[in-house]
Amino acid sequence: MQADELAFLEEMIESAELLDCTACGEDTLHVHEEVNSIAGGVTEVIMRCASCLSTRPHLLID
Ligand SMILES: [Zn+2]
């Protein structure tokens, strides 16, 4: 595995967090999928449930 790939994976793991998943009906580990939008200090990211693989938006506020 290349160093940049490893760094990317480490970043993904670091950004994983427990969020409410509507599909699972409980708090599950979600990993950062992509940045959806950035506006006025609010970043909307797409988080993917590690259990059922469904995605949901999540707001990060600075
Ligand atoms: Zn889920």
Side-chain angles (χ1 to χ4, degrees):
M1 184 179 292
Q2 293 180 358
D4 58 341
E5 282 183 89
L6 190 61
F8 177 72
L9 284 174
E10 283 175 351
E11 197 173 308
M12 290 253 305
I13 292 163
E14 274 174 25
S15 65
E17 55 187 303
L18 283 174
L19 294 172
D20 174 53
C21 176
T22 52
C24 293
E26 59 184 296
D27 286 356
T28 58
L29 196 64
H30 284 65
V31 293
H32 178 230
E33 180 83 1
E34 62 179 318
V35 175
N36 208 24
S37 66
I38 301 172
V42 178
T43 303
E44 185 180 284
V45 296
I46 301 299
M47 303 294 286
R48 182 179 296 277
C49 175
S51 293
C52 71
L53 304 182
S54 68
T55 56
R56 51 157 286 167
H58 179 56
L59 296 179
L60 303 173
I61 300 163
D62 286 339

